[in-house]
Amino acid sequence: MKTGNDAAAEGNPFETAFPHAIQGSSAQDKKTDRRVRRTRILLQQSLIRLMAEKEIKDITVKELSESADITRGTFYLHYSDIYDILRNMEYELFVEFNDILNRSLDADGKTPAPEATLTDIFSFLERHRDTVKVMMGPHGDIAFINRLKDLVKERIYHNLAQKQTDYEYDYAEAFAVSGCIGVVETWLLHPAPLPPEKMAKICCDMLMQGLDLT
C-alpha cells in the first residue's frame, strides 16, 4: 500500500516526464531571439486551433504551416514534426506549473494555506486557458492529463498521509486529484468562468469538507 512518504520517495514526476529538458533548456532559451520565438508562438497557436477541431494525428505539416502563414521549410527550422511542437508546449507549461508548486513551499518547507496555492494554479490555468482547454479536450493528450495528476499528487496532496490511515490513503488521494481535475475541466468549458480566487475557494472548501481536513 502506497503512503504519502512512499509517493514522495518516487521522485519528481516533472523530472521523470522530461528527463533531459531541464538541463538543456536554459542555454537554449538565452540564444532564442524574438523572431524565432514569434514563429514558434505562431506555430503553437495554429496547432491549438487545429487540435480544437481534429486529432493531432490528422494534422499535417503542410496544413499547420499554411495556418501559421509560414513555409514548410521554416517549420522544419524549428520543429522536427507535429508531435515535437506538442512536446515543447507541454514542457513549457509544466515548467511554469512546476515553478508555481515549488514557490508554494516556504523556506522551511512547510505547506501554505491550500487556498493560496489553488489561487496560483487557477491563475496559471487562466493565462493558458486555450491551450489547457484543448489539451484536456476530446482531441487532447491523455499523457498531459496524467502528468498533471502526478504533479498534483506529488506537490499538493502528500500531506493527506498525515490525515488518513494507510487503508484510506489511496482512496482519499484519488478523490482529491480526480475531483480537482474534474473541477478544472468544468471551469475551462464554462461559458462564464469564475475568477481564479473564487474557484480556489470553491475547490478548497470542497476538499476540506470531503476529506475532513479541517
mmCIF file of all heavy atoms in Angstrom, residues 157-207:
data_model
loop_
_atom_site.group_PDB
_atom_site.id
_atom_site.type_symbol
_atom_site.label_atom_id
_atom_site.label_comp_id
_atom_site.label_asym_id
_atom_site.label_seq_id
_atom_site.Cartn_x
_atom_site.Cartn_y
_atom_site.Cartn_z
ATOM 1 N N TYR A 157 -1.032 17.056 -2.380
ATOM 2 C CA TYR A 157 -1.778 16.155 -1.513
ATOM 3 C C TYR A 157 -0.919 15.162 -0.744
ATOM 4 O O TYR A 157 -1.423 14.208 -0.174
ATOM 5 C CB TYR A 157 -2.841 15.415 -2.337
ATOM 6 C CG TYR A 157 -3.847 16.369 -2.905
ATOM 7 C CD1 TYR A 157 -3.848 16.662 -4.258
ATOM 8 C CD2 TYR A 157 -4.744 17.044 -2.083
ATOM 9 C CE1 TYR A 157 -4.739 17.587 -4.773
ATOM 10 C CE2 TYR A 157 -5.634 17.968 -2.596
ATOM 11 C CZ TYR A 157 -5.636 18.223 -3.936
ATOM 12 O OH TYR A 157 -6.509 19.129 -4.458
ATOM 13 N N HIS A 158 0.413 15.383 -0.724
ATOM 14 C CA HIS A 158 1.255 14.485 0.050
ATOM 15 C C HIS A 158 0.917 14.547 1.542
ATOM 16 O O HIS A 158 1.165 13.592 2.284
ATOM 17 C CB HIS A 158 2.737 14.820 -0.167
ATOM 18 C CG HIS A 158 3.111 16.202 0.254
ATOM 19 N ND1 HIS A 158 2.922 17.304 -0.546
ATOM 20 C CD2 HIS A 158 3.663 16.659 1.413
ATOM 21 C CE1 HIS A 158 3.346 18.380 0.096
ATOM 22 N NE2 HIS A 158 3.798 18.024 1.278
ATOM 23 N N ASN A 159 0.343 15.674 1.979
ATOM 24 C CA ASN A 159 0.005 15.799 3.394
ATOM 25 C C ASN A 159 -1.238 15.005 3.774
ATOM 26 O O ASN A 159 -1.601 14.937 4.943
ATOM 27 C CB ASN A 159 -0.205 17.277 3.776
ATOM 28 C CG ASN A 159 -1.344 17.911 3.018
ATOM 29 O OD1 ASN A 159 -1.641 17.508 1.900
ATOM 30 N ND2 ASN A 159 -1.972 18.898 3.611
ATOM 31 N N LEU A 160 -1.877 14.365 2.806
ATOM 32 C CA LEU A 160 -3.037 13.530 3.136
ATOM 33 C C LEU A 160 -2.630 12.359 4.030
ATOM 34 O O LEU A 160 -3.426 11.862 4.819
ATOM 35 C CB LEU A 160 -3.679 12.972 1.855
ATOM 36 C CG LEU A 160 -4.472 13.955 0.994
ATOM 37 C CD1 LEU A 160 -4.993 13.249 -0.242
ATOM 38 C CD2 LEU A 160 -5.610 14.551 1.794
ATOM 39 N N ALA A 161 -1.387 11.934 3.882
ATOM 40 C CA ALA A 161 -0.927 10.792 4.679
ATOM 41 C C ALA A 161 -0.989 11.092 6.167
ATOM 42 O O ALA A 161 -1.092 10.181 6.995
ATOM 43 C CB ALA A 161 0.490 10.410 4.275
ATOM 44 N N GLN A 162 -0.923 12.360 6.511
ATOM 45 C CA GLN A 162 -0.973 12.743 7.912
ATOM 46 C C GLN A 162 -2.400 12.722 8.449
ATOM 47 O O GLN A 162 -2.611 12.743 9.659
ATOM 48 C CB GLN A 162 -0.380 14.140 8.091
ATOM 49 C CG GLN A 162 1.069 14.247 7.608
ATOM 50 C CD GLN A 162 1.552 15.679 7.604
ATOM 51 O OE1 GLN A 162 0.840 16.596 8.013
ATOM 52 N NE2 GLN A 162 2.774 15.891 7.140
ATOM 53 N N LYS A 163 -3.370 12.688 7.546
ATOM 54 C CA LYS A 163 -4.770 12.760 7.963
ATOM 55 C C LYS A 163 -5.511 11.437 7.769
ATOM 56 O O LYS A 163 -6.567 11.239 8.340
ATOM 57 C CB LYS A 163 -5.488 13.841 7.135
ATOM 58 C CG LYS A 163 -4.908 15.247 7.304
ATOM 59 C CD LYS A 163 -5.269 15.832 8.642
ATOM 60 C CE LYS A 163 -4.808 17.277 8.764
ATOM 61 N NZ LYS A 163 -5.204 17.896 10.028
ATOM 62 N N GLN A 164 -4.951 10.551 6.917
ATOM 63 C CA GLN A 164 -5.658 9.325 6.588
ATOM 64 C C GLN A 164 -4.844 8.107 7.018
ATOM 65 O O GLN A 164 -3.618 8.151 7.099
ATOM 66 C CB GLN A 164 -5.899 9.252 5.065
ATOM 67 C CG GLN A 164 -6.532 10.499 4.465
ATOM 68 C CD GLN A 164 -7.971 10.692 4.901
ATOM 69 O OE1 GLN A 164 -8.652 9.729 5.252
ATOM 70 N NE2 GLN A 164 -8.445 11.933 4.891
ATOM 71 N N THR A 165 -5.531 7.001 7.270
ATOM 72 C CA THR A 165 -4.838 5.746 7.548
ATOM 73 C C THR A 165 -4.290 5.187 6.252
ATOM 74 O O THR A 165 -4.668 5.612 5.157
ATOM 75 C CB THR A 165 -5.812 4.733 8.170
ATOM 76 O OG1 THR A 165 -6.794 4.378 7.186
ATOM 77 C CG2 THR A 165 -6.490 5.305 9.401
ATOM 78 N N ASP A 166 -3.375 4.214 6.351
ATOM 79 C CA ASP A 166 -2.827 3.586 5.155
ATOM 80 C C ASP A 166 -3.937 3.025 4.269
ATOM 81 O O ASP A 166 -3.875 3.091 3.043
ATOM 82 C CB ASP A 166 -1.867 2.450 5.535
ATOM 83 C CG ASP A 166 -0.548 2.992 6.071
ATOM 84 O OD1 ASP A 166 -0.324 4.206 5.958
ATOM 85 O OD2 ASP A 166 0.236 2.195 6.608
ATOM 86 N N TYR A 167 -4.935 2.448 4.903
ATOM 87 C CA TYR A 167 -6.029 1.838 4.147
ATOM 88 C C TYR A 167 -6.829 2.896 3.390
ATOM 89 O O TYR A 167 -7.294 2.662 2.294
ATOM 90 C CB TYR A 167 -6.948 1.067 5.099
ATOM 91 C CG TYR A 167 -8.100 0.385 4.396
ATOM 92 C CD1 TYR A 167 -7.905 -0.791 3.695
ATOM 93 C CD2 TYR A 167 -9.386 0.934 4.442
ATOM 94 C CE1 TYR A 167 -8.958 -1.416 3.050
ATOM 95 C CE2 TYR A 167 -10.447 0.320 3.793
ATOM 96 C CZ TYR A 167 -10.223 -0.860 3.098
ATOM 97 O OH TYR A 167 -11.257 -1.470 2.446
ATOM 98 N N GLU A 168 -6.969 4.078 3.982
ATOM 99 C CA GLU A 168 -7.787 5.125 3.373
ATOM 100 C C GLU A 168 -7.026 5.972 2.362
ATOM 101 O O GLU A 168 -7.642 6.617 1.519
ATOM 102 C CB GLU A 168 -8.314 6.064 4.475
ATOM 103 C CG GLU A 168 -9.244 5.401 5.476
ATOM 104 C CD GLU A 168 -9.551 6.334 6.635
ATOM 105 O OE1 GLU A 168 -8.714 7.224 6.917
ATOM 106 O OE2 GLU A 168 -10.611 6.182 7.246
ATOM 107 N N TYR A 169 -5.705 5.986 2.433
ATOM 108 C CA TYR A 169 -4.923 6.971 1.703
ATOM 109 C C TYR A 169 -5.165 6.944 0.195
ATOM 110 O O TYR A 169 -5.403 7.987 -0.418
ATOM 111 C CB TYR A 169 -3.429 6.779 1.976
ATOM 112 C CG TYR A 169 -2.589 7.763 1.198
ATOM 113 C CD1 TYR A 169 -2.432 9.074 1.645
ATOM 114 C CD2 TYR A 169 -2.008 7.402 -0.013
ATOM 115 C CE1 TYR A 169 -1.706 9.992 0.921
ATOM 116 C CE2 TYR A 169 -1.279 8.315 -0.748
ATOM 117 C CZ TYR A 169 -1.125 9.606 -0.274
ATOM 118 O OH TYR A 169 -0.421 10.509 -0.998
ATOM 119 N N ASP A 170 -5.097 5.771 -0.421
ATOM 120 C CA ASP A 170 -5.242 5.692 -1.871
ATOM 121 C C ASP A 170 -6.583 6.247 -2.328
ATOM 122 O O ASP A 170 -6.671 6.913 -3.368
ATOM 123 C CB ASP A 170 -5.100 4.244 -2.349
ATOM 124 C CG ASP A 170 -3.650 3.767 -2.308
ATOM 125 O OD1 ASP A 170 -2.758 4.632 -2.184
ATOM 126 O OD2 ASP A 170 -3.423 2.553 -2.402
ATOM 127 N N TYR A 171 -7.632 5.989 -1.549
ATOM 128 C CA TYR A 171 -8.955 6.467 -1.918
ATOM 129 C C TYR A 171 -9.058 7.976 -1.746
ATOM 130 O O TYR A 171 -9.655 8.672 -2.585
ATOM 131 C CB TYR A 171 -10.027 5.758 -1.067
ATOM 132 C CG TYR A 171 -10.035 4.261 -1.255
ATOM 133 C CD1 TYR A 171 -9.492 3.427 -0.283
ATOM 134 C CD2 TYR A 171 -10.561 3.681 -2.409
ATOM 135 C CE1 TYR A 171 -9.480 2.041 -0.455
ATOM 136 C CE2 TYR A 171 -10.555 2.303 -2.586
ATOM 137 C CZ TYR A 171 -10.015 1.492 -1.610
ATOM 138 O OH TYR A 171 -9.996 0.142 -1.788
ATOM 139 N N ALA A 172 -8.489 8.473 -0.677
ATOM 140 C CA ALA A 172 -8.512 9.918 -0.433
ATOM 141 C C ALA A 172 -7.737 10.656 -1.518
ATOM 142 O O ALA A 172 -8.165 11.697 -2.021
ATOM 143 C CB ALA A 172 -7.927 10.228 0.944
ATOM 144 N N GLU A 173 -6.590 10.108 -1.889
ATOM 145 C CA GLU A 173 -5.772 10.726 -2.929
ATOM 146 C C GLU A 173 -6.508 10.743 -4.260
ATOM 147 O O GLU A 173 -6.537 11.763 -4.964
ATOM 148 C CB GLU A 173 -4.458 9.965 -3.070
ATOM 149 C CG GLU A 173 -3.528 10.549 -4.131
ATOM 150 C CD GLU A 173 -2.289 9.693 -4.321
ATOM 151 O OE1 GLU A 173 -2.424 8.566 -4.836
ATOM 152 O OE2 GLU A 173 -1.203 10.151 -3.953
ATOM 153 N N ALA A 174 -7.126 9.621 -4.621
ATOM 154 C CA ALA A 174 -7.861 9.536 -5.883
ATOM 155 C C ALA A 174 -9.027 10.519 -5.896
ATOM 156 O O ALA A 174 -9.293 11.182 -6.917
ATOM 157 C CB ALA A 174 -8.367 8.110 -6.106
ATOM 158 N N PHE A 175 -9.723 10.629 -4.771
ATOM 159 C CA PHE A 175 -10.845 11.555 -4.662
ATOM 160 C C PHE A 175 -10.380 12.988 -4.855
ATOM 161 O O PHE A 175 -10.983 13.773 -5.603
ATOM 162 C CB PHE A 175 -11.503 11.397 -3.292
ATOM 163 C CG PHE A 175 -12.567 12.425 -2.988
ATOM 164 C CD1 PHE A 175 -13.864 12.271 -3.444
ATOM 165 C CD2 PHE A 175 -12.260 13.565 -2.254
ATOM 166 C CE1 PHE A 175 -14.839 13.230 -3.175
ATOM 167 C CE2 PHE A 175 -13.222 14.518 -1.979
ATOM 168 C CZ PHE A 175 -14.511 14.345 -2.434
ATOM 169 N N ALA A 176 -9.290 13.355 -4.199
ATOM 170 C CA ALA A 176 -8.795 14.730 -4.253
ATOM 171 C C ALA A 176 -8.308 15.096 -5.644
ATOM 172 O O ALA A 176 -8.683 16.134 -6.199
ATOM 173 C CB ALA A 176 -7.670 14.914 -3.230
ATOM 174 N N VAL A 177 -7.482 14.245 -6.220
ATOM 175 C CA VAL A 177 -6.881 14.557 -7.519
ATOM 176 C C VAL A 177 -7.920 14.545 -8.628
ATOM 177 O O VAL A 177 -8.028 15.495 -9.420
ATOM 178 C CB VAL A 177 -5.738 13.573 -7.833
ATOM 179 C CG1 VAL A 177 -5.201 13.822 -9.241
ATOM 180 C CG2 VAL A 177 -4.615 13.721 -6.822
ATOM 181 N N SER A 178 -8.706 13.477 -8.717
ATOM 182 C CA SER A 178 -9.712 13.392 -9.780
ATOM 183 C C SER A 178 -10.770 14.477 -9.620
ATOM 184 O O SER A 178 -11.256 15.022 -10.609
ATOM 185 C CB SER A 178 -10.373 12.007 -9.757
ATOM 186 O OG SER A 178 -9.427 11.005 -10.037
ATOM 187 N N GLY A 179 -11.106 14.790 -8.363
ATOM 188 C CA GLY A 179 -12.083 15.851 -8.131
ATOM 189 C C GLY A 179 -11.584 17.194 -8.618
ATOM 190 O O GLY A 179 -12.315 17.940 -9.279
ATOM 191 N N CYS A 180 -10.322 17.502 -8.345
ATOM 192 C CA CYS A 180 -9.755 18.781 -8.797
ATOM 193 C C CYS A 180 -9.675 18.847 -10.319
ATOM 194 O O CYS A 180 -9.974 19.882 -10.918
ATOM 195 C CB CYS A 180 -8.367 18.975 -8.189
ATOM 196 S SG CYS A 180 -8.402 19.570 -6.484
ATOM 197 N N ILE A 181 -9.275 17.740 -10.947
ATOM 198 C CA ILE A 181 -9.194 17.716 -12.403
ATOM 199 C C ILE A 181 -10.578 17.914 -13.007
ATOM 200 O O ILE A 181 -10.761 18.639 -13.987
ATOM 201 C CB ILE A 181 -8.589 16.392 -12.899
ATOM 202 C CG1 ILE A 181 -7.135 16.264 -12.419
ATOM 203 C CG2 ILE A 181 -8.644 16.307 -14.417
ATOM 204 C CD1 ILE A 181 -6.204 17.320 -12.946
ATOM 205 N N GLY A 182 -11.588 17.285 -12.408
ATOM 206 C CA GLY A 182 -12.955 17.451 -12.897
ATOM 207 C C GLY A 182 -13.444 18.878 -12.765
ATOM 208 O O GLY A 182 -14.110 19.408 -13.663
ATOM 209 N N VAL A 183 -13.113 19.531 -11.645
ATOM 210 C CA VAL A 183 -13.488 20.931 -11.444
ATOM 211 C C VAL A 183 -12.816 21.813 -12.495
ATOM 212 O O VAL A 183 -13.440 22.707 -13.069
ATOM 213 C CB VAL A 183 -13.104 21.403 -10.020
ATOM 214 C CG1 VAL A 183 -13.234 22.920 -9.910
ATOM 215 C CG2 VAL A 183 -14.000 20.734 -8.991
ATOM 216 N N VAL A 184 -11.541 21.550 -12.760
ATOM 217 C CA VAL A 184 -10.805 22.329 -13.765
ATOM 218 C C VAL A 184 -11.434 22.166 -15.143
ATOM 219 O O VAL A 184 -11.626 23.150 -15.874
ATOM 220 C CB VAL A 184 -9.326 21.898 -13.807
ATOM 221 C CG1 VAL A 184 -8.627 22.477 -15.039
ATOM 222 C CG2 VAL A 184 -8.605 22.355 -12.547
ATOM 223 N N GLU A 185 -11.771 20.950 -15.511
ATOM 224 C CA GLU A 185 -12.386 20.699 -16.824
ATOM 225 C C GLU A 185 -13.717 21.445 -16.949
ATOM 226 O O GLU A 185 -14.008 22.056 -17.991
ATOM 227 C CB GLU A 185 -12.595 19.199 -17.030
ATOM 228 C CG GLU A 185 -11.302 18.432 -17.239
ATOM 229 C CD GLU A 185 -11.517 16.936 -17.344
ATOM 230 O OE1 GLU A 185 -12.435 16.414 -16.669
ATOM 231 O OE2 GLU A 185 -10.774 16.282 -18.092
ATOM 232 N N THR A 186 -14.531 21.384 -15.900
ATOM 233 C CA THR A 186 -15.822 22.088 -15.918
ATOM 234 C C THR A 186 -15.616 23.593 -16.026
ATOM 235 O O THR A 186 -16.312 24.281 -16.777
ATOM 236 C CB THR A 186 -16.616 21.761 -14.642
ATOM 237 O OG1 THR A 186 -16.839 20.347 -14.571
ATOM 238 C CG2 THR A 186 -17.963 22.478 -14.638
ATOM 239 N N TRP A 187 -14.658 24.118 -15.288
ATOM 240 C CA TRP A 187 -14.355 25.551 -15.301
ATOM 241 C C TRP A 187 -13.872 26.004 -16.674
ATOM 242 O O TRP A 187 -14.277 27.059 -17.170
ATOM 243 C CB TRP A 187 -13.318 25.836 -14.236
ATOM 244 C CG TRP A 187 -12.863 27.259 -14.135
ATOM 245 C CD1 TRP A 187 -13.602 28.342 -13.740
ATOM 246 C CD2 TRP A 187 -11.545 27.764 -14.400
ATOM 247 N NE1 TRP A 187 -12.829 29.486 -13.750
ATOM 248 C CE2 TRP A 187 -11.569 29.155 -14.147
ATOM 249 C CE3 TRP A 187 -10.360 27.176 -14.820
ATOM 250 C CZ2 TRP A 187 -10.429 29.959 -14.309
ATOM 251 C CZ3 TRP A 187 -9.236 27.964 -14.976
ATOM 252 C CH2 TRP A 187 -9.281 29.349 -14.727
ATOM 253 N N LEU A 188 -13.014 25.211 -17.305
ATOM 254 C CA LEU A 188 -12.482 25.569 -18.623
ATOM 255 C C LEU A 188 -13.574 25.636 -19.681
ATOM 256 O O LEU A 188 -13.507 26.439 -20.613
ATOM 257 C CB LEU A 188 -11.410 24.557 -19.054
ATOM 258 C CG LEU A 188 -10.078 24.591 -18.294
ATOM 259 C CD1 LEU A 188 -9.227 23.390 -18.682
ATOM 260 C CD2 LEU A 188 -9.328 25.888 -18.557
ATOM 261 N N LEU A 189 -14.582 24.803 -19.531
ATOM 262 C CA LEU A 189 -15.656 24.737 -20.527
ATOM 263 C C LEU A 189 -16.822 25.664 -20.209
ATOM 264 O O LEU A 189 -17.713 25.839 -21.044
ATOM 265 C CB LEU A 189 -16.169 23.293 -20.635
ATOM 266 C CG LEU A 189 -15.178 22.254 -21.180
ATOM 267 C CD1 LEU A 189 -15.761 20.854 -21.045
ATOM 268 C CD2 LEU A 189 -14.831 22.552 -22.633
ATOM 269 N N HIS A 190 -16.811 26.257 -19.041
ATOM 270 C CA HIS A 190 -17.953 27.073 -18.624
ATOM 271 C C HIS A 190 -18.024 28.359 -19.453
ATOM 272 O O HIS A 190 -17.007 29.008 -19.696
ATOM 273 C CB HIS A 190 -17.829 27.433 -17.144
ATOM 274 C CG HIS A 190 -19.117 27.808 -16.515
ATOM 275 N ND1 HIS A 190 -19.731 29.039 -16.734
ATOM 276 C CD2 HIS A 190 -19.939 27.125 -15.676
ATOM 277 C CE1 HIS A 190 -20.857 29.086 -16.053
ATOM 278 N NE2 HIS A 190 -21.015 27.948 -15.408
ATOM 279 N N PRO A 191 -19.234 28.728 -19.914
ATOM 280 C CA PRO A 191 -19.368 29.944 -20.731
ATOM 281 C C PRO A 191 -19.096 31.229 -19.960
ATOM 282 O O PRO A 191 -18.767 32.254 -20.555
ATOM 283 C CB PRO A 191 -20.824 29.889 -21.207
ATOM 284 C CG PRO A 191 -21.528 29.031 -20.191
ATOM 285 C CD PRO A 191 -20.515 28.012 -19.777
ATOM 286 N N ALA A 192 -19.239 31.187 -18.643
ATOM 287 C CA ALA A 192 -18.965 32.369 -17.813
ATOM 288 C C ALA A 192 -18.109 31.931 -16.626
ATOM 289 O O ALA A 192 -18.586 31.870 -15.484
ATOM 290 C CB ALA A 192 -20.265 33.018 -17.340
ATOM 291 N N PRO A 193 -16.830 31.627 -16.853
ATOM 292 C CA PRO A 193 -15.977 31.103 -15.778
ATOM 293 C C PRO A 193 -15.752 32.107 -14.660
ATOM 294 O O PRO A 193 -15.585 33.301 -14.899
ATOM 295 C CB PRO A 193 -14.664 30.785 -16.506
ATOM 296 C CG PRO A 193 -14.660 31.680 -17.702
ATOM 297 C CD PRO A 193 -16.097 31.772 -18.119
ATOM 298 N N LEU A 194 -15.756 31.595 -13.445
ATOM 299 C CA LEU A 194 -15.496 32.431 -12.277
ATOM 300 C C LEU A 194 -14.010 32.798 -12.222
ATOM 301 O O LEU A 194 -13.167 32.095 -12.787
ATOM 302 C CB LEU A 194 -15.899 31.695 -11.003
ATOM 303 C CG LEU A 194 -17.394 31.401 -10.832
ATOM 304 C CD1 LEU A 194 -17.612 30.472 -9.642
ATOM 305 C CD2 LEU A 194 -18.169 32.692 -10.650
ATOM 306 N N PRO A 195 -13.654 33.886 -11.529
ATOM 307 C CA PRO A 195 -12.238 34.275 -11.407
ATOM 308 C C PRO A 195 -11.461 33.256 -10.588
ATOM 309 O O PRO A 195 -12.038 32.496 -9.802
ATOM 310 C CB PRO A 195 -12.316 35.635 -10.706
ATOM 311 C CG PRO A 195 -13.628 35.647 -10.004
ATOM 312 C CD PRO A 195 -14.561 34.850 -10.870
ATOM 313 N N PRO A 196 -10.127 33.219 -10.770
ATOM 314 C CA PRO A 196 -9.291 32.230 -10.073
ATOM 315 C C PRO A 196 -9.481 32.226 -8.557
ATOM 316 O O PRO A 196 -9.509 31.148 -7.947
ATOM 317 C CB PRO A 196 -7.863 32.657 -10.451
ATOM 318 C CG PRO A 196 -8.016 33.298 -11.791
ATOM 319 C CD PRO A 196 -9.335 34.024 -11.713
ATOM 320 N N GLU A 197 -9.586 33.399 -7.950
ATOM 321 C CA GLU A 197 -9.729 33.464 -6.500
ATOM 322 C C GLU A 197 -10.996 32.759 -6.016
ATOM 323 O O GLU A 197 -10.991 32.053 -4.999
ATOM 324 C CB GLU A 197 -9.741 34.926 -6.030
ATOM 325 C CG GLU A 197 -8.460 35.686 -6.289
ATOM 326 C CD GLU A 197 -8.336 36.179 -7.721
ATOM 327 O OE1 GLU A 197 -9.302 36.047 -8.495
ATOM 328 O OE2 GLU A 197 -7.253 36.702 -8.056
ATOM 329 N N LYS A 198 -12.091 32.958 -6.751
ATOM 330 C CA LYS A 198 -13.356 32.319 -6.396
ATOM 331 C C LYS A 198 -13.283 30.815 -6.584
ATOM 332 O O LYS A 198 -13.760 30.037 -5.747
ATOM 333 C CB LYS A 198 -14.482 32.909 -7.256
ATOM 334 C CG LYS A 198 -15.866 32.343 -6.960
ATOM 335 C CD LYS A 198 -16.349 32.698 -5.573
ATOM 336 C CE LYS A 198 -17.786 32.236 -5.363
ATOM 337 N NZ LYS A 198 -18.252 32.510 -3.973
ATOM 338 N N MET A 199 -12.662 30.374 -7.691
ATOM 339 C CA MET A 199 -12.534 28.943 -7.953
ATOM 340 C C MET A 199 -11.654 28.281 -6.898
ATOM 341 O O MET A 199 -11.925 27.153 -6.480
ATOM 342 C CB MET A 199 -11.943 28.720 -9.345
ATOM 343 C CG MET A 199 -12.903 29.008 -10.476
ATOM 344 S SD MET A 199 -14.454 28.073 -10.355
ATOM 345 C CE MET A 199 -13.841 26.388 -10.266
ATOM 346 N N ALA A 200 -10.607 28.978 -6.473
ATOM 347 C CA ALA A 200 -9.718 28.423 -5.456
ATOM 348 C C ALA A 200 -10.482 28.185 -4.153
ATOM 349 O O ALA A 200 -10.303 27.147 -3.497
ATOM 350 C CB ALA A 200 -8.541 29.361 -5.216
ATOM 351 N N LYS A 201 -11.334 29.137 -3.782
ATOM 352 C CA LYS A 201 -12.112 28.988 -2.542
ATOM 353 C C LYS A 201 -13.108 27.839 -2.650
ATOM 354 O O LYS A 201 -13.255 27.037 -1.722
ATOM 355 C CB LYS A 201 -12.858 30.283 -2.227
ATOM 356 C CG LYS A 201 -13.564 30.248 -0.869
ATOM 357 C CD LYS A 201 -14.240 31.553 -0.539
ATOM 358 C CE LYS A 201 -14.768 31.537 0.908
ATOM 359 N NZ LYS A 201 -15.530 30.334 1.250
ATOM 360 N N ILE A 202 -13.784 27.743 -3.798
ATOM 361 C CA ILE A 202 -14.752 26.661 -4.006
ATOM 362 C C ILE A 202 -14.057 25.306 -3.913
ATOM 363 O O ILE A 202 -14.515 24.391 -3.224
ATOM 364 C CB ILE A 202 -15.443 26.818 -5.374
ATOM 365 C CG1 ILE A 202 -16.366 28.031 -5.369
ATOM 366 C CG2 ILE A 202 -16.230 25.546 -5.735
ATOM 367 C CD1 ILE A 202 -16.962 28.352 -6.723
ATOM 368 N N CYS A 203 -12.950 25.181 -4.625
ATOM 369 C CA CYS A 203 -12.213 23.920 -4.663
ATOM 370 C C CYS A 203 -11.666 23.580 -3.272
ATOM 371 O O CYS A 203 -11.742 22.434 -2.829
ATOM 372 C CB CYS A 203 -11.075 24.032 -5.676
ATOM 373 S SG CYS A 203 -10.449 22.448 -6.259
ATOM 374 N N CYS A 204 -11.138 24.574 -2.583
ATOM 375 C CA CYS A 204 -10.580 24.354 -1.246
ATOM 376 C C CYS A 204 -11.664 23.918 -0.269
ATOM 377 O O CYS A 204 -11.476 22.980 0.511
ATOM 378 C CB CYS A 204 -9.904 25.629 -0.760
ATOM 379 S SG CYS A 204 -9.034 25.444 0.809
ATOM 380 N N ASP A 205 -12.817 24.567 -0.327
ATOM 381 C CA ASP A 205 -13.921 24.219 0.578
ATOM 382 C C ASP A 205 -14.380 22.782 0.341
ATOM 383 O O ASP A 205 -14.636 22.031 1.300
ATOM 384 C CB ASP A 205 -15.102 25.177 0.370
ATOM 385 C CG ASP A 205 -14.824 26.567 0.921
ATOM 386 O OD1 ASP A 205 -13.838 26.720 1.668
ATOM 387 O OD2 ASP A 205 -15.580 27.505 0.591
ATOM 388 N N MET A 206 -14.484 22.391 -0.924
ATOM 389 C CA MET A 206 -14.932 21.031 -1.241
ATOM 390 C C MET A 206 -13.924 19.996 -0.748
ATOM 391 O O MET A 206 -14.307 18.938 -0.230
ATOM 392 C CB MET A 206 -15.157 20.892 -2.748
ATOM 393 C CG MET A 206 -16.392 21.620 -3.252
ATOM 394 S SD MET A 206 -16.821 21.228 -4.965
ATOM 395 C CE MET A 206 -15.397 21.901 -5.833
ATOM 396 N N LEU A 207 -12.635 20.294 -0.915
ATOM 397 C CA LEU A 207 -11.606 19.361 -0.468
ATOM 398 C C LEU A 207 -11.595 19.242 1.060
ATOM 399 O O LEU A 207 -11.489 18.139 1.602
ATOM 400 C CB LEU A 207 -10.235 19.824 -0.958
ATOM 401 C CG LEU A 207 -9.962 19.631 -2.454
ATOM 402 C CD1 LEU A 207 -8.667 20.322 -2.848
ATOM 403 C CD2 LEU A 207 -9.891 18.142 -2.789
#
